[in-house]
Amino acid sequence: MEDPEAQPGEDLVVKPLKLENQFAQSPAESVKKVAKSGKSSEAAESKVSTPVNSTRKKSDARNGSELSSGFARSTVSSSSRASNSVAVSRRNSTGGVPEKSSASSARPQNNSSTVAGKKPSTPSATESVRRSLPELRRSSLPSVATKPTSRANLSETRKSVPVSVVGRSLSTSTASDTSIQRTVRKSTVKPALSASSSLKKTASSSLDSTASSTSRKTISKVSSPSTRSPTVSRGFRAGSLSLSLDRSSNLSGRKKTVSSESTDSRFIVLPQVEIKAGDDVRLDLRGHRVRSLNASGLNLSPNLEFVYLRDNLLSTLEGVEILTRVKVLDLSFNDFKGPGFEPLENCRALQQLYLAGNQITSLASLPQLPNLEFLSVAQNKLKSLAMASQPRLQVLAASKNRISTLKGFPYLPVLEHLRVEENPILKMPHLEAASILLVGPTLKKFNDRDLSRDELALAKRYPPQTALCIRDGWEFCRPEQAADSTFRCLFDQWKDHFPPGYLLKEASIDKPFEEDACRCHFVFVQESISSDPDIILKYKWFLGERTLSNFTAIADANGEVYWPKHEDIDKILKVECTPVLGQTEYPPIFAISSPVARGNGIPKVVNLEVHGELVEGNVIKGHAKVAWCGGTSGKGVASWLRRRWNSSPVVIAGAEDEEYGLTIDDIDSSLVFMYTPVTEEGAKGEPQYKYTDFVRAAPPSVSNVRIIGDVVEGNVIRGVGNYFGGREGPSKFEWLRENKETGDFLLVTSGTSEYTLTKEDVGRRLAFIYIPINFEGQEGESLSIVSGTVRQAPPKVTNVKIIGDLRENSKVTVTGTVTGGTEGSSRVQWFKTKSLTLNGENDLEAMSTSKVAKAFRIPLGAVGYYIVAKYTPMTPDGESGEAVYVITERSVETLPPSLNFLSITGDYTEGGILTASYGYIGGHEGKSIYNWYLHEVENDTGTLIHEVSGLLQYRVTKDAIGKFISFQCTPVRDDGIVGEPRTCLGQERVRPGSPRLLALQIVGDAVEGTILSVDKRYWGGEEGSSVFRWFRTSSDGSQCEIRDASGSSYMLSIDDIGFFISVSCEPVRSDWARGPIVLSEQIGPIVAGPPTCQSLEFLGSMMEGQRLSFIASYTGGEKGDCFHEWFRLKNKGVKEKLSTDEFLDLTLDDVGRSIELVYTPIRKDGVKGNPRSIISYEISPADPVGLDLVIPDCHENQEAIPQKKYCGGQEGVGSYTWYRTRTNPNELAWTDISSSSEDVEMCAQTFSYTPSLEDVGAYLALRWLPTRVDGRSGKPVVAISISPVLPAPPVVSSVRVEKLASGIYSGEGEYSGGYEGSSLFSWYRETNDGTIILINGANSKTYEVTDADYNSRLLFG
C-alpha cells in the first residue's frame, strides 16, 4: 500500500465514537485531552514521519482491497512540507485524491504483525485520513510526487472545514469541488499564514490513546470476520469470502507532531461505520458519485439501519422515505441545498443525521423526528436554526455556517451540546447566555466547553419572557434593560390588537411558589377619559416544561390568582389575558413566569373572613384561605375573642372551633376570629385576626312554654318558658280557664306565673300565656300553653291480702278492693322483713320496683323473711291513691339446690372474656363447682380447661380458636347438699383475635455491617407474613424509609452511619387480616465497622478464552481504594501473580489450573481489613477452533506451507486434506468440499503440500479439522488459494543428440515448468577451430546432415 505524505492544507478526518459511546464521556474531558495533546506536540521538534520513498510495490498488489479503521487520531507532521504537490479534480470528506502519478519510488513495508512488535511511530496525516474511512477506494489514495513546489503554491490550498467534536473523539473533514495542490515543504521552513489560506494541523484524541510529552499512540481496530461453519477464506483470512482487507494495522505504528496552528479542523463529526452490522441492515456507498437515491443498483430497502452516502453528488432526498428503520444516515459532503427535507418524515427511527459539508440554506422543511438524538449541519450556508421541534435531540452541531440570528430557534427540550463556532452570530454579546435561555437547564456544553459560570449567572438575571422574545427576533441586550426591552418587544406585537383607547401598562406574573398564591398583573390604562364601559379581563393559566415548550391549559384555572401545586415545581406558568370591551373580545396577551419554586413549608393565611349575621342566637363561621407553601395541609388552630367597647379582646372559653354561636354575653361586643395555620408536619404560620362589627340583641321572644306540676285539685302549678332576646324585663303572665259550654278561655288571674287549682277547675283545662318584654320595654310575641283537664282527688284500696305458697321460687299474688272510681293500672312493690310488725318502710328491704304486675316469684334472698306488698291504687286515667302495705303471716321456706337457668355471655374471640351466669335455687348457695370445656364438635365430651376450673370467667386463649366452649355448673348448698350438674354450650366457634404486637424491639449492635434482627411478640391467631419497614433517622429528627428493607432483619450499610435505625411492623394474620402498625425504639447512632469484604464471587465462565471478573460486597465506612490480586495456582501450593486489573482473560496457561482472587478491603481513611480470597474450579479448555487458515501463493514444485491459528486447549494432531479444482471457487459450495463438485479431487492428507504439474492452473483448497490433544475436534475450516497454481519457470535438462538414421539426427531433452508449449529448437555447427555457427533454417527437432556439415560437430539447443 502506498504511503503518501500529508499536505499542509489537507484536512484530516477522524471518525467519532459510535452513538452508544458518544456520550459516555463528557465533551469537557475530550477538550481537556485535546488541549493536553496539542500543548505537548507544540514543544516537540518537527520530525519526518516517513521516508520519501513509499512502498509502491505492496500497494500495487492490493489495489482492489478496501481499508477500514477503528478509532484513530491524526496529527500533521512537519515533514509533510518536504513533498511535491499533485493536482486533483475533486476533494471528498477524507481528503483523498487520485492515486496516479508519474514518479514514485517504493520500499518494503512491514506488515501489521511486524509493526505491532516494534515501538510504534507517529502515523502521517494521510494515514489517519485513510484510517478514518471504513472503505477507502483505490481511486481515493493520493500519490507522492518527487518534485518540490514553491512557497507560492500554498495559496492555492483551500482552508480545512471545521469539525464538530462529540464524545471523546475529535473529527475533521474536508470537502472541495475545486482543484487542490498538495504541497510539502522542508521541516526547517515555517508555514506562511495569510487571510486567504493557512496551514492548520489537528490533534485528535482517542479512547485508546495515552498522553505523553511529545506524542500519542494510535490504535486501529480491525473488524473481525463473521462467524461461519466451516469458515472460508481466499488466501488472506479464514472465515470471510469478502475481497476487502483491513490494512489499518499496517499504519498504526507511526508518530506525528502537532503544532499550535491545529485549530481549524474541529467542527465536523463523521459517523463510524457500524462494521458489526450485517449487510442486510448496512449500506456503505461513500464516494461512489451517486446522484439519485432512486438510481438502479442502489438497493435501498426498508430493513436498512445504517446508511453511509457521504462524498456523493446527491441533491435531493426523493427516495429516502423507504428507509423507515434507518438509525444512522450520513449525507455529508453532497450537493444538498435545501429546502426539501420532507421525505425524512418517514424515517421515524432515525437517531443520527449527518448533513455537514453541503450547501443547505434552511432547515425549515426538516420534519419533527421523534428519535433524533444527533444532528450535524456544520459547513453549510444556514442563516438561522429555524426548524421543527426535535423532542429527543441532544447534540446540535452547526458550526461553520452563516448564522447571524437566533430568530426561530426551535424547542429542543433535551439538548445538551450546542456548537455554533465560526458563525457571524458569535459577534453577538453574551451569546452563551442567550443560548442558555433558549435551551433551558438541559444545556451542558456550548461550543465544546462547559458553560461559563458568569454566563449562567447572567442568564438568571433576564426576565422569563426573554426566550420568547429572542425566538421572535428581539435584539439581545444587558439584563438591566431586558425587562423594559422585552416588554416593548411584546408590546409592539400586541399593540395593534388592543381595545380602542387603551394601552397596556403592565403584563407580569409574581414569582411562583409551591402552594402559594401566584397573582398575574395585567394593567390597561385609558388614553383619555371616556364614558365607554369598563374593560373586563378574562384569564386562563397554562403550564409548560420550558419557556419555548407547548403549554397545556390548567383545568379550572381562570382567575387572576393561581395556586401552584407540588407537581408544578420547576415548571413554567403562562397566563393568557383576554380583554373584553362591551361585547367584543380582543386577542389575548400573555405573561410568562419564572420556574415554580419549592415552598418553605411554613403556611400562611392569605385571606380571613367571618360569615353570618351578627345577631344574638345566630351561628357565625370563620373561614381562612391558607397557602400551605409545600407543607401538608393540616387543621389550623381557631379561637374566638370578645372585645367590649374601649377594652382589649378577651378569649372566649370553649370557643375553639371555626363556628361560634352568639350568646347574650356577646351583645354590644365585637368578636375577633383568630386563626393559626398548622401543617401536618407541625409547622406553624403566623396567626391572623379578623374583627367583626358589634353584636346586636335579638327581638324578645319566648319558647318552650310549659306548665309544671300535676293538674290535680288542690295542687299548685307553675307556668314557665325560655326567654330569648337580650336581658328580660317585666314580662307579663296570664291564667285562663276553659268554658265547658263555649270552649272559650276566660281570664282567671294575671301578673303571676303560679296558680292553685280549685274545685271549679276540676274537669276543665287551664291556659297559660307568656308575654316576653326585654329590659328596654320592647314587647315580643306572646306564646301560650294549655294544660290537661284538672282531675279530682286520688282513689283508695282496702282488704289487701297476699295469696300463694310461701316457699323459695314460688309465686305469690296480692289482691285488694279499690274504691274511688274504676281501678286502672294499680302498682305493686314487694319487700321483705325480719319483723312481723310493720313500721312504714323503715324496716323493709325492697325486692322489686313498683310494677303493674301483682304476681311475684319469691327469690332465694327472701328465705326466712316475711313478705310485704305495697299496693298503690290507680284509676284508668292514671290517678293514683294512697299506698297500702300487707305482710305474710309466716316466713318463706327453702327448696333443694338446683339451677333454674345457665348461660354464657361475652365475645367468642381470642382474648375475649366469656362470663358464665346461672340462677340458683334451693337455699343459700354453698361452693358450687364450675368447669370449662373445649369441644372440637358440638356433641363430643370436650376437654377440661384446668386453668380456669372454679372460675366464672374465661379469657379465650389461642388454643381455643376454631373450637366450641361449654360451661358446667354443679349447684351446692351451704350445708353441703349437691344438686344436679347443668351444662351450657356456646353458640359459635371461637374466632381468632385481631392481630397486634405486644412487644417490638431491635436486636443487634449499632455497627455498620452488623445484621439487625427484629424481636417481637405477636398476638392474634396464627401469624402470617407480617410487614416490616426500616427507617433511618438523622440527628435533627428527619426520618426516611430505607428502600428495599422489608424483611425481619437488616444489614447496616455505609448509608446508615451517623443515623438512628428503627423498624415498624404491621402484624398480619395467616388469613391476611392486619393489625395496627407498631414502631420500635431507635437504635444508634450507627458507627462505622472495620473494613470487611462480606462476599466475594467470580463473574464469568471458567473456560479458556473467557474473561473473569468479580463482585465484592464491602462494608466498613466509606470505601477507599480496595486492592485485589489475581493468582494462578500451580503445583505444591505455588502461586503465580497474574495482574491487579478489574478482570482476567483466561489463556492456555490457565487450563487445568485454578485461579485465586485475593481482595483486601480498604477504608477511605486508609485502614485495611482482612483480605478475603476465593479460588475457582480448574479452568477447562475451550472447544477446539481454527481461527485462521491461509494458503500462500502456490507454485509448481514448491512446497506450500499454510498459515493457521488455533484456539482451544493444547493442540493435538489435526486432520489436513488438500483438494484441487479447476472450477472457479466462487461457483463451488464449500460446506462439504469433498462432494461439492465432480471436478474436486483430493491431492494429499498432509499439513504441507508440493504442487505438481497436474496442479498447474488449478485452485488448491485445504480442509483443516482442528483437534485438541485429547482427540476432540472442532468445526472444519476451509481455505482456498487466491489464485491458481502457477507453473515453474520453463527449464530443460539432459539435452542430447541421437542418431535416427544415416545423416538424420534428433535433438532430445527433458522439459519441466508447466505444460510445454512451442519450444524453440536450434542447430549449430562447430568447426575444428572451435567456431560455432548457427545453421539457418534448422529450427525443428530433427536435422538432416548436408555437405557443409562435414568435418564439423553438430550442436543442438
Side-chain angles (χ1 to χ4, degrees), residues 363-415:
L363 297 175
S365 61
L366 182 66
Q368 186 180 92
L369 300 172
N371 292 294
L372 186 64
E373 299 178 355
F374 182 92
L375 176 61
S376 174
V377 291
Q379 193 178 340
N380 279 285
K381 297 182 179 180
L382 295 174
K383 296 182 179 179
S384 73
L385 291 175
M387 71 174 92
S389 173
Q390 304 297 338
R392 297 184 64 180
L393 188 64
Q394 300 178 26
V395 179
L396 176 57
S399 304
K400 201 75 174 181
N401 276 283
R402 301 176 182 176
I403 300 173
S404 59
T405 178
L406 293 176
K407 186 175 183 181
F409 193 88
Y411 174 51
L412 305 175
V414 297
L415 188 67

Coordinates of all heavy atoms in Angstrom, one line a residue, residues 363-415:
L363 N -33.4 25.0 7.3 CA -33.8 23.8 7.9 C -35.3 23.8 8.1 O -35.9 23.0 8.9 CB -33.1 23.5 9.2 CG -31.6 23.2 9.1 CD1 -31.0 23.1 10.4 CD2 -31.3 22.0 8.2
A364 N -36.0 24.8 7.5 CA -37.4 25.0 7.8 C -38.3 23.7 7.4 O -39.3 23.4 8.1 CB -38.0 26.2 7.1
S365 N -37.8 23.0 6.4 CA -38.6 21.9 5.9 C -38.2 20.6 6.6 O -38.8 19.5 6.4 CB -38.4 21.7 4.4 OG -37.1 21.5 4.1
L366 N -37.2 20.6 7.6 CA -36.9 19.4 8.3 C -38.0 19.0 9.2 O -38.4 19.8 10.1 CB -35.6 19.7 9.1 CG -35.0 18.5 9.8 CD1 -34.5 17.4 8.9 CD2 -33.9 18.9 10.8
P367 N -38.6 17.8 9.0 CA -39.7 17.5 9.9 C -39.3 17.1 11.3 O -38.1 16.9 11.6 CB -40.3 16.3 9.1 CG -39.1 15.6 8.5 CD -38.2 16.8 8.1
Q368 N -40.3 17.0 12.1 CA -40.0 16.5 13.5 C -39.7 15.0 13.5 O -40.5 14.2 13.0 CB -41.2 16.8 14.4 CG -40.9 16.5 15.9 CD -42.1 16.8 16.8 OE1 -42.9 15.9 17.1 NE2 -42.2 18.0 17.3
L369 N -38.6 14.6 14.0 CA -38.1 13.2 14.0 C -38.1 12.8 15.5 O -37.3 13.3 16.3 CB -36.7 13.1 13.4 CG -36.7 13.6 11.9 CD1 -35.2 13.6 11.4 CD2 -37.5 12.7 11.0
P370 N -39.0 11.9 15.9 CA -39.2 11.7 17.3 C -38.0 11.0 18.0 O -37.9 11.1 19.2 CB -40.4 10.7 17.3 CG -40.5 10.1 16.0 CD -39.9 11.2 15.0
N371 N -37.1 10.4 17.3 CA -36.0 9.7 17.9 C -34.6 10.3 17.6 O -33.6 9.7 17.9 CB -36.0 8.2 17.5 CG -37.1 7.5 18.1 OD1 -37.3 7.3 19.3 ND2 -38.1 7.0 17.2
L372 N -34.6 11.4 16.9 CA -33.4 12.1 16.5 C -32.6 12.6 17.7 O -33.1 13.4 18.5 CB -33.6 13.2 15.5 CG -32.4 13.9 14.9 CD1 -31.7 12.8 14.0 CD2 -32.7 15.1 14.1
E373 N -31.4 12.1 17.9 CA -30.6 12.5 19.1 C -29.3 13.3 18.6 O -28.8 14.0 19.4 CB -30.1 11.2 19.8 CG -31.2 10.4 20.4 CD -30.8 9.2 21.1 OE1 -29.5 8.9 21.0 OE2 -31.6 8.5 21.7
F374 N -28.9 13.2 17.4 CA -27.7 13.9 16.9 C -27.9 14.4 15.6 O -28.5 13.8 14.7 CB -26.5 12.9 16.9 CG -25.2 13.5 16.5 CD1 -24.3 14.0 17.4 CD2 -24.9 13.7 15.1 CE1 -23.1 14.6 17.0 CE2 -23.7 14.3 14.7 CZ -22.8 14.7 15.7
L375 N -27.6 15.7 15.4 CA -27.8 16.4 14.1 C -26.6 17.3 13.8 O -26.2 18.1 14.6 CB -29.1 17.3 14.1 CG -29.3 18.1 12.9 CD1 -29.5 17.3 11.6 CD2 -30.5 19.1 13.1
S376 N -25.9 17.0 12.7 CA -24.8 17.8 12.2 C -25.1 18.5 11.0 O -25.4 17.8 9.9 CB -23.6 16.8 12.0 OG -22.5 17.6 11.5
V377 N -25.1 19.8 11.0 CA -25.3 20.6 9.8 C -24.1 21.6 9.6 O -24.3 22.7 9.1 CB -26.7 21.4 9.9 CG1 -27.8 20.4 9.8 CG2 -26.7 22.2 11.2
A378 N -23.0 21.2 10.1 CA -21.8 22.1 10.0 C -21.4 22.3 8.5 O -21.7 21.5 7.7 CB -20.7 21.5 10.8
Q379 N -20.7 23.4 8.3 CA -20.2 23.8 7.0 C -21.3 23.7 5.9 O -21.3 23.0 5.0 CB -19.1 22.8 6.6 CG -18.3 23.4 5.4 CD -17.1 22.5 5.0 OE1 -16.7 21.7 5.8 NE2 -16.6 22.6 3.8
N380 N -22.3 24.6 6.1 CA -23.4 24.8 5.2 C -23.6 26.3 5.0 O -22.6 27.1 5.3 CB -24.7 24.1 5.6 CG -24.7 22.6 5.3 OD1 -24.9 22.2 4.2 ND2 -24.5 21.8 6.3
K381 N -24.7 26.7 4.5 CA -25.0 28.1 4.3 C -26.2 28.6 5.1 O -27.0 29.4 4.6 CB -25.2 28.4 2.8 CG -23.9 28.1 2.0 CD -24.1 28.4 0.5 CE -22.9 28.1 -0.3 NZ -23.1 28.5 -1.8
L382 N -26.4 28.0 6.3 CA -27.5 28.3 7.1 C -27.4 29.7 7.6 O -26.3 30.1 8.1 CB -27.7 27.3 8.3 CG -28.0 25.9 7.9 CD1 -27.9 25.0 9.1 CD2 -29.3 25.8 7.2
K383 N -28.5 30.5 7.7 CA -28.5 31.8 8.2 C -29.2 31.8 9.6 O -29.1 32.8 10.3 CB -29.2 32.8 7.3 CG -28.5 33.0 6.0 CD -29.2 34.0 5.1 CE -28.4 34.2 3.8 NZ -29.1 35.2 2.9
S384 N -30.0 30.7 9.9 CA -30.6 30.6 11.2 C -30.8 29.1 11.4 O -30.6 28.3 10.5 CB -32.0 31.3 11.2 OG -33.0 30.6 10.5
L385 N -31.3 28.8 12.6 CA -31.5 27.4 13.0 C -33.0 27.1 13.1 O -33.4 26.2 13.9 CB -30.8 27.1 14.4 CG -29.3 27.0 14.3 CD1 -28.8 26.9 15.7 CD2 -28.8 25.9 13.4
A386 N -33.8 27.9 12.4 CA -35.3 27.7 12.5 C -35.6 26.3 11.9 O -35.2 26.0 10.8 CB -36.0 28.8 11.7
M387 N -36.3 25.5 12.7 CA -36.7 24.2 12.3 C -37.8 23.7 13.2 O -38.2 24.4 14.2 CB -35.6 23.2 12.3 CG -35.1 22.8 13.7 SD -33.8 21.6 13.8 CE -32.4 22.6 13.8
A388 N -38.4 22.5 12.9 CA -39.4 21.9 13.7 C -38.8 21.5 15.1 O -37.6 21.2 15.1 CB -40.1 20.7 13.0
S389 N -39.6 21.4 16.1 CA -39.1 20.9 17.4 C -38.6 19.5 17.3 O -39.3 18.6 16.6 CB -40.3 21.0 18.4 OG -39.9 20.4 19.6
Q390 N -37.5 19.2 17.9 CA -36.9 17.8 17.9 C -36.9 17.4 19.4 O -36.1 17.8 20.2 CB -35.5 17.8 17.3 CG -35.4 18.4 15.9 CD -36.2 17.6 14.9 OE1 -36.5 16.4 15.1 NE2 -36.6 18.2 13.8
P391 N -37.9 16.5 19.8 CA -38.1 16.2 21.2 C -36.9 15.5 21.9 O -36.8 15.5 23.1 CB -39.4 15.4 21.2 CG -39.4 14.8 19.8 CD -38.8 15.8 18.9
R392 N -36.1 14.8 21.1 CA -35.0 14.0 21.8 C -33.6 14.4 21.3 O -32.6 13.7 21.5 CB -35.2 12.5 21.5 CG -36.5 11.9 22.1 CD -36.7 10.4 21.9 NE -35.6 9.7 22.6 CZ -35.5 8.4 22.6 NH1 -36.4 7.7 21.9 NH2 -34.6 7.8 23.3
L393 N -33.5 15.5 20.6 CA -32.2 15.9 20.1 C -31.3 16.3 21.3 O -31.6 17.2 22.1 CB -32.4 17.1 19.2 CG -31.1 17.5 18.4 CD1 -30.6 16.4 17.5 CD2 -31.3 18.8 17.6
Q394 N -30.1 15.7 21.4 CA -29.1 16.0 22.4 C -27.9 16.8 21.9 O -27.3 17.5 22.7 CB -28.6 14.7 23.0 CG -29.8 13.9 23.6 CD -29.2 12.6 24.2 OE1 -28.1 12.5 24.6 NE2 -30.1 11.6 24.3
V395 N -27.6 16.6 20.6 CA -26.4 17.3 20.1 C -26.8 18.0 18.8 O -27.4 17.4 17.9 CB -25.2 16.3 19.8 CG1 -24.1 17.1 19.3 CG2 -24.9 15.6 21.1
L396 N -26.5 19.3 18.7 CA -26.7 20.1 17.5 C -25.4 20.8 17.1 O -25.0 21.7 17.8 CB -27.8 21.1 17.7 CG -28.1 22.1 16.6 CD1 -28.5 21.3 15.3 CD2 -29.3 23.0 16.9
A397 N -24.8 20.3 16.0 CA -23.5 20.9 15.6 C -23.8 21.7 14.3 O -24.2 21.2 13.3 CB -22.6 19.7 15.2
A398 N -23.7 23.0 14.4 CA -24.0 23.9 13.4 C -22.9 24.9 13.1 O -23.1 26.1 12.8 CB -25.3 24.7 13.6
S399 N -21.6 24.5 13.3 CA -20.5 25.4 13.1 C -20.3 25.6 11.7 O -20.8 24.9 10.8 CB -19.3 24.8 13.8 OG -19.5 24.5 15.1
K400 N -19.5 26.7 11.4 CA -19.1 27.0 10.0 C -20.3 27.2 9.1 O -20.4 26.6 8.1 CB -18.2 25.8 9.5 CG -17.3 26.2 8.4 CD -16.1 27.0 8.8 CE -15.1 27.2 7.7 NZ -13.9 28.0 8.1
N401 N -21.2 28.1 9.5 CA -22.3 28.5 8.7 C -22.4 30.0 8.6 O -21.3 30.7 8.8 CB -23.6 27.9 9.3 CG -23.9 26.5 8.9 OD1 -24.3 26.2 7.8 ND2 -23.6 25.5 9.8
R402 N -23.5 30.5 8.2 CA -23.7 31.9 8.1 C -24.8 32.4 9.1 O -25.5 33.4 8.8 CB -24.1 32.3 6.7 CG -23.1 31.9 5.7 CD -23.5 32.2 4.2 NE -22.5 31.7 3.2 CZ -22.7 31.8 1.9 NH1 -23.9 32.3 1.4 NH2 -21.8 31.3 1.1
I403 N -24.9 31.7 10.2 CA -25.9 32.0 11.2 C -25.7 33.4 11.8 O -24.6 33.6 12.4 CB -26.0 30.9 12.3 CG1 -26.3 29.6 11.6 CG2 -27.0 31.3 13.3 CD1 -26.2 28.4 12.6
S404 N -26.6 34.3 11.7 CA -26.5 35.6 12.2 C -27.6 36.0 13.2 O -27.6 37.1 13.7 CB -26.4 36.6 11.1 OG -27.6 36.5 10.3
T405 N -28.6 35.1 13.4 CA -29.7 35.4 14.3 C -30.2 34.1 15.0 O -30.0 33.0 14.5 CB -30.8 36.0 13.5 OG1 -31.9 36.3 14.4 CG2 -31.3 35.1 12.4
L406 N -30.8 34.3 16.2 CA -31.4 33.2 16.9 C -32.9 33.2 16.6 O -33.6 32.4 17.3 CB -31.1 33.3 18.4 CG -29.7 33.1 18.8 CD1 -29.5 33.4 20.3 CD2 -29.2 31.7 18.4
K407 N -33.4 34.0 15.7 CA -34.8 34.0 15.4 C -35.3 32.7 14.9 O -34.7 32.1 14.1 CB -35.1 35.1 14.4 CG -36.6 35.3 14.2 CD -36.8 36.5 13.2 CE -38.3 36.8 13.0 NZ -38.5 37.9 12.1
G408 N -36.4 32.2 15.5 CA -37.0 30.9 15.0 C -36.3 29.7 15.7 O -36.5 28.6 15.2
F409 N -35.5 30.0 16.7 CA -34.8 28.8 17.4 C -35.9 27.8 17.8 O -36.8 28.2 18.5 CB -34.0 29.3 18.5 CG -33.0 28.3 19.1 CD1 -31.7 28.2 18.5 CD2 -33.4 27.4 20.1 CE1 -30.8 27.3 19.0 CE2 -32.5 26.5 20.6 CZ -31.2 26.4 20.0
P410 N -35.7 26.5 17.6 CA -36.7 25.5 17.9 C -36.7 25.2 19.3 O -35.8 25.5 20.1 CB -36.3 24.3 17.0 CG -34.8 24.4 16.9 CD -34.5 25.9 16.9
Y411 N -37.8 24.5 19.7 CA -37.9 23.9 21.1 C -37.2 22.6 21.1 O -37.6 21.6 20.5 CB -39.4 23.8 21.4 CG -39.6 23.1 22.8 CD1 -38.9 23.5 23.9 CD2 -40.5 22.0 22.9 CE1 -39.2 22.8 25.1 CE2 -40.7 21.4 24.1 CZ -40.1 21.8 25.2 OH -40.2 21.2 26.4
L412 N -36.1 22.5 21.9 CA -35.3 21.3 22.0 C -35.2 21.0 23.4 O -34.3 21.4 24.2 CB -33.9 21.6 21.4 CG -33.9 22.1 19.9 CD1 -32.4 22.4 19.5 CD2 -34.5 21.1 19.0
P413 N -36.1 20.2 24.0 CA -36.2 20.0 25.4 C -35.1 19.3 26.1 O -34.9 19.4 27.3 CB -37.6 19.2 25.6 CG -37.8 18.6 24.2 CD -37.2 19.5 23.2
V414 N -34.3 18.5 25.3 CA -33.3 17.7 26.0 C -31.9 18.0 25.4 O -31.0 17.2 25.6 CB -33.5 16.2 25.9 CG1 -34.8 15.8 26.6 CG2 -33.6 15.7 24.5
L415 N -31.7 19.1 24.7 CA -30.5 19.4 24.1 C -29.4 19.6 25.2 O -29.6 20.3 26.1 CB -30.6 20.7 23.3 CG -29.4 21.1 22.4 CD1 -29.2 20.1 21.3 CD2 -29.5 22.5 21.8

